[in-house]
Amino acid sequence: MSASVLEASRGSDTATPASFEALQLSVPTLAAVRALRWQAPTPVQVRAVPLLLAGRDVAVQAQTGSGKTAAYGIPLVERVRASAGGLQGLVLVPTRELALQVGDHLRSLGQGHRVRVARVYGGASMAAQRDALRQHPHVVVATPGRLLDFLRQGVFRLGSVRTVVLDEADRMLDMGFLPDVERILRATPGDRQTALFSATLPPEVTGLVGRTLRDPVWVRIQGPVPTVEGVRQFYVEVAEQDKLQALRVLLRTEAVQSALVFRRTQRGAQKLADALARKQPTAALHGGMRQRARFAALREFASGRVPVLVVTNVAARGLDLPQVSHVVNFDMPEDVETYVHRVGRTARAGATGIAITLVGQYDMEMFDRLRRVVGTRWERHPLNLYARSP
Ligand code: AMP
């Protein structure tokens, strides 16, 4: 790593170009960006786009919401030679939602260049994806497991890939994809360009960078770091078996426009959503659901038709969810970072949001830790568990 350049950007760097024109993009890409109504590149785009266009390997620390997808997506579509054909770009992502989101993103960015993008992810039929792969996409966006299945079946090869992107690398490694990712990288040419994007840089991620990127440029983008600023943090001490009743009362008595309710397990999320749905429109979003159902849930929630969404951490992470008025921790988060991430879903962009944490008899230790680390502005919620329905 010694030869690497370490770059830090807070977005206030006046030496960097602040317009897409200054990034010297092609006319079709500029048109695509204009069609998306983006005014100016975000800090991560200002940093990463020129490096990737110049063919460098980059390791980027940036959060979801920073514009990281376009930071690699723009150079990717710029570098694809559509006329040459053949698979040229590969993007690995941890989840199917992200595969779909990123695939859409790349399609809109690459429209003018006629870039064909295929999306490959688990939990859906292989037939349609196999057909898409056989239509000679220029770029494939994939979750590692399903991609390996196709590689093993000999449906396609990675020998012509020029650029590989590892998106949300920390998440992929968290989910146990490291061996798969390394296996996939070994199937690509050694002289490929590699870009890694990650919200955090634990040793597993820096290790992967050291093993698989060539003389990488490190780019660190500060924020938008999730914060509890502007969030009113409430807690409710309630026996575990009364949590459902407490939540019902909260949803009835609070001015809830939209609420994300967090549960630890898929089963828990589904059970809770089913129970709530008997009294009010509620959807669940977790990894145990079929992809079609997950998308339906997201759409219903984003459109406001269903104001309550019960989610697991894994499902919620990395998703472009709308801002919500309330975050409810039905189950205690496992660590402080998770708490901050969950709560950061409310009170975005200066708005005020409300976070309510249900503290059961088994949650005291974690709750004490939260209170110590996240500060003292906690209010006991004046919930009356026995409030009757109006
Ligand atoms: P990401 O961090 O890639 O998940 O992007 C977060 C959101 O920002 C997405 O909805 C993008 O469409 C949007 N976005 C990305 N780049 C820009 C930009 N330069 N200007 C405005 N919005 C952007």
Side-chain angles (χ1 to χ4, degrees), residues 29-186:
T29 303
L30 282 177
V33 165
R34 228 171 278 132
L36 288 163
R37 299 181 190 283
W38 294 352
Q39 308 284 333
T42 65
V44 66
Q45 292 162 4
V46 169
R47 284 298 183 188
V49 169
L51 290 164
L52 288 168
L53 285 176
R56 294 294 305 261
D57 281 8
V58 295
V60 182
Q61 183 178 18
Q63 316 277 335
T64 297
S66 61
K68 66 184 171 62
T69 315
Y72 64 75
I74 288 173
L76 206 54
V77 302
E78 287 280 271
R79 280 165 61 89
V80 162
R81 291 192 214 110
S83 55
L87 179 62
Q88 300 168 42
L90 173 65
V91 182
L92 293 181
V93 296
T95 64
R96 48 193 132 162
E97 277 81 10
L98 208 57
L100 290 160
Q101 259 178 36
V102 168
D104 284 349
H105 221 103
L106 296 184
R107 277 179 188 157
S108 45
L109 289 171
Q111 213 165 26
H113 285 291
R114 301 181 181 283
V115 175
R116 282 194 300 276
V117 181
R119 307 178 300 186
V120 164
Y121 44 88
S125 130
M126 290 183 90
Q129 295 178 10
R130 189 180 295 117
D131 288 346
L133 286 175
R134 286 189 173 138
Q135 278 162 23
H136 307 293
H138 303 109
V139 178
V140 168
V141 182
T143 53
R146 178 56 69 92
L147 184 78
L148 271 181
D149 290 343
F150 280 122
L151 284 178
R152 285 196 196 102
Q153 292 177 8
V155 174
F156 73 123
R157 291 164 187 278
L158 300 177
S160 56
V161 165
R162 295 163 61 223
T163 301
V164 175
V165 179
L166 309 176
D167 194 4
E168 301 206 359
D170 51 352
R171 201 84 205 126
M172 278 203 283
L173 302 199
D174 265 2
M175 292 169 73
F177 281 134
L178 180 62
D180 289 357
V181 169
E182 302 220 40
R183 206 165 295 143
I184 290 166
L185 286 174
R186 281 198 294 276

Side-chain angles (χ1 to χ4, degrees), residues 371-390:
R371 283 223 274 201
R372 274 200 314 276
V373 180
V374 187
T376 49
R377 289 177 305 114
W378 289 81
E379 302 168 61
R380 183 192 288 274
H381 195 284
L383 168 85
N384 175 3
L385 199 53
Y386 307 102
R388 306 198 63 83
S389 302

Side-chain angles (χ1 to χ4, degrees), residues 235-252 261-264 268 272 275-276 280 328-333 342 356-364 366-367 370 383-386:
Y235 66 96
V236 179
E237 281 178 275
V238 58
E240 200 63 39
Q241 65 272 21
D242 291 334
K243 279 187 173 182
L244 173 60
Q245 174 62 11
L247 179 60
R248 283 209 169 108
V249 175
L250 284 171
L251 291 175
R252 209 165 61 226
V261 180
F262 282 92
R263 289 230 64 179
R264 205 161 31 78
L272 181 59
L276 291 174
Q280 68 181 111
V328 180
N329 293 308
F330 191 93
D331 290 326
M332 195 57 96
R342 288 181 179 181
I356 303 173
T357 300
L358 303 187
V359 184
Q361 61 269 43
Y362 312 114
D363 300 328
M364 291 304 176
M366 185 62 220
F367 183 56
L370 271 185
L383 168 85
N384 175 3
L385 199 53
Y386 307 102

Side-chain angles (χ1 to χ4, degrees), residues 319-336:
L319 273 187
D320 202 5
L321 286 168
Q323 173 167 330
V324 296
S325 66
H326 288 70
V327 167
V328 180
N329 293 308
F330 191 93
D331 290 326
M332 195 57 96
E334 313 63 280
D335 50 46
V336 174

